[in-house]
Amino acid sequence: MAIGPEKRKFKKISRQSLFVYPDDASDDVIKVSPYVYYNGMTFTSTKYKDCSRMALHHLIKTGRFTELNDDILHILSDYQYLNSYLIRKRLSYLRGQPEMKKEAMREILRKMVNYGLLVQYELIHTDSSGHEQGSPFIYGITPAGERHLREQRSWRLSNNATNITFTCQTALRILAENQFSIMLEHQYEKRGLISYCDFSKDVYAACGIRMLYGIQLPDGGELALFVFAVRNDPDWSKLFLKQLRGLKSYMADNNLSMASTLIIVDTEWLAMTCERCRCSEAELKDLDVFYATDTSFIMENNVFDRLIEVKPEKNYSSRTIFRINLEPCTDAEKEEG
């Protein structure tokens, strides 16, 4: 659902919604992000065949293309690129069923690749020992898969940022963003805390940011939340500043004076480096920006449970870990606060 931000009034997050963790809260074991960029990273992809209308009709008639396959195509049409883990997560939520076993999902995706409905990518890098390492497979829709969505179901491509060229850097950013989006929607959508989720071509064209959310706040206000990922690739700082400049202009053009930005990073170190880069431009300092790591979305029960606020002290080399409480406070919590 896409709702223009110019039609809404937004509030900033109140201090009552924030809970700051003790200084030692970040001493837990930090798992490695699955979406890290490595120098010299390359990718391979399957050479897909065209699945003709007649061939797809035969697959449907013989029961080899089912409603499950159709759901997978629709999910990938929304998110552009996903790995098997994220597809299983989204399917489980949409169908209200336990997550499918990894092996079963891999077999289904393998067949869809062979049918010519999906294209499969693998990111390759050389580790410190000189050995090649491959990523989990990443999936996207082929032209035949898109044709099926358009013609067989009279379906139109959604208003999302489609046709983004696949590169290692781009794919890693999209996967990190999609992981957050899927986790956020699973946790908050049914509780009525998300008023809209917009994968907008207009927003993407203006500032290169795919994701805009409306988040309900405990005091009855609404927060406009822009979300995008940064990877530590060779040109990250140029793209990062370009996106923030574009975001500032987009907000001004749409009279959106109060909005927050969540930047998804792979390490806390990158969060502090991003903040140092952002604050090097005076006109970007007034943006409301905070950070979160990829792993925090999986390790915690709440996607907003482990956010990073970088402090300007010591040249942006210190940070505070906090969470946003989006649920109304109980009487007991009010007394404690």
Side-chain angles (χ1 to χ4, degrees):
M1 177 170 61
I3 300 176
E6 69 278 4
K7 300 177 183 178
R8 295 173 171 264
K9 293 183 179 179
F10 298 97
K11 296 182 180 181
K12 292 182 180 179
I13 299 176
S14 64
R15 299 308 299 177
Q16 290 82 358
S17 301
L18 307 184
F19 175 82
V20 177
Y21 284 99
D23 291 338
D24 60 354
S26 61
D27 292 338
D28 301 332
V29 176
I30 299 176
K31 297 180 180 178
V32 177
S33 165
Y35 311 123
V36 175
Y37 176 82
Y38 296 92
N39 288 332
M41 180 177 268
T42 59
F43 72 90
T44 62
S45 62
T46 53
K47 294 183 179 180
Y48 55 86
K49 60 182 179 181
D50 180 57
C51 183
S52 66
R53 294 177 178 84
M54 186 175 296
L56 184 54
H57 177 73
H58 181 69
L59 290 174
I60 295 172
K61 186 176 181 181
T62 57
R64 287 181 287 169
F65 183 92
T66 66
E67 185 179 344
L68 176 61
N69 302 110
D70 197 66
D71 286 344
I72 291 172
L73 288 180
H74 275 83
I75 289 171
L76 280 167
S77 75
D78 286 337
Y79 293 94
Q80 190 93 33
Y81 300 117
L82 293 172
N83 54 30
S84 175
Y85 167 76
L86 294 176
I87 294 173
R88 288 190 294 118
K89 279 283 183 186
R90 191 59 176 160
L91 271 174
S92 172
Y93 173 73
L94 293 177
R95 291 179 158 233
Q97 299 173 352
E99 284 183 34
M100 185 180 294
K101 298 293 185 182
K102 291 188 289 186
E103 295 75 13
M105 176 55 68
R106 287 171 183 166
E107 182 62 16
I108 291 171
L109 294 172
R110 183 189 67 80
K111 288 181 179 180
M112 292 183 72
V113 171
N114 289 339
Y115 296 156
L117 297 172
L118 298 182
V119 57
Q120 176 181 284
Y121 302 90
E122 183 179 16
L123 306 182
I124 308 294
H125 74 275
T126 302
D127 64 20
S128 58
S129 302
H131 299 110
E132 275 197 352
Q133 300 290 342
S135 71
F137 293 135
I138 303 166
Y139 299 91
I141 303 181
T142 65
E146 291 182 352
R147 185 179 66 226
H148 166 72
L149 292 176
R150 288 195 304 270
E151 298 178 0
Q152 298 297 102
R153 301 276 300 270
S154 298
W155 179 86
R156 294 183 178 182
L157 288 175
S158 59
N159 184 35
N160 60 4
T162 55
N163 299 320
I164 301 175
T165 302
F166 189 100
T167 67
C168 296
Q169 297 95 318
T170 300
L172 290 168
R173 288 195 297 269
I174 289 177
L175 287 172
E177 292 166 357
N178 287 345
Q179 177 177 272
F180 167 81
S181 181
I182 288 172
M183 297 298 182
L184 174 72
E185 292 176 57
H186 291 195
Q187 293 171 12
Y188 289 104
E189 193 171 50
K190 289 184 177 179
R191 289 153 59 188
L193 296 176
I194 301 177
S195 59
Y196 65 90
C197 171
D198 186 2
F199 290 85
S200 174
K201 285 184 178 179
D202 294 334
V203 177
Y204 185 78
C207 53
I209 296 174
R210 299 166 60 235
M211 302 158 60
L212 169 61
Y213 300 95
I215 308 294
Q216 297 294 328
L217 298 176
D219 63 1
E222 187 178 38
L223 172 73
L225 181 67
F226 293 91
V227 182
F228 67 96
V230 175
R231 303 293 94 177
N232 191 25
D233 59 61
D235 296 319
W236 74 265
S237 59
K238 294 179 183 178
L239 177 60
F240 176 60
L241 291 175
K242 180 180 179 181
Q243 287 175 300
L244 291 179
R245 294 176 194 130
L247 174 58
K248 193 169 179 67
S249 297
Y250 177 84
M251 290 172 61
D253 293 342
N254 289 274
N255 300 315
L256 187 56
S257 59
M258 293 185 181
S260 293
T261 304
L262 172 61
I263 299 171
I264 305 169
V265 291
D266 50 22
T267 63
E268 292 183 7
W269 172 86
L270 184 56
M272 293 184 282
T273 305
C274 285
E275 191 66 355
R276 187 182 299 117
C277 180
R278 175 177 80 94
C279 293
S280 67
E281 295 197 10
E283 63 270 23
L284 300 177
K285 283 188 175 183
D286 61 345
L287 290 173
D288 184 28
V289 175
F290 50 95
Y291 301 83
T293 61
D294 306 328
T295 52
S296 68
F297 305 137
I298 299 175
M299 293 171 63
E300 307 295 335
N301 296 324
N302 182 317
V303 293
F304 297 127
D305 263 0
R306 200 175 182 83
L307 302 176
I308 303 168
E309 185 176 36
V310 179
K311 299 179 179 179
E313 295 89 352
K314 300 179 182 179
N315 195 23
Y316 301 95
S317 61
S318 60
R319 77 278 181 268
T320 298
I321 306 297
F322 69 98
R323 68 178 171 90
I324 299 177
N325 178 24
L326 294 177
E327 299 289 359
C329 293
T330 63
D331 292 337
E333 288 173 332
K334 289 178 181 178
E335 290 177 4
E336 291 177 4

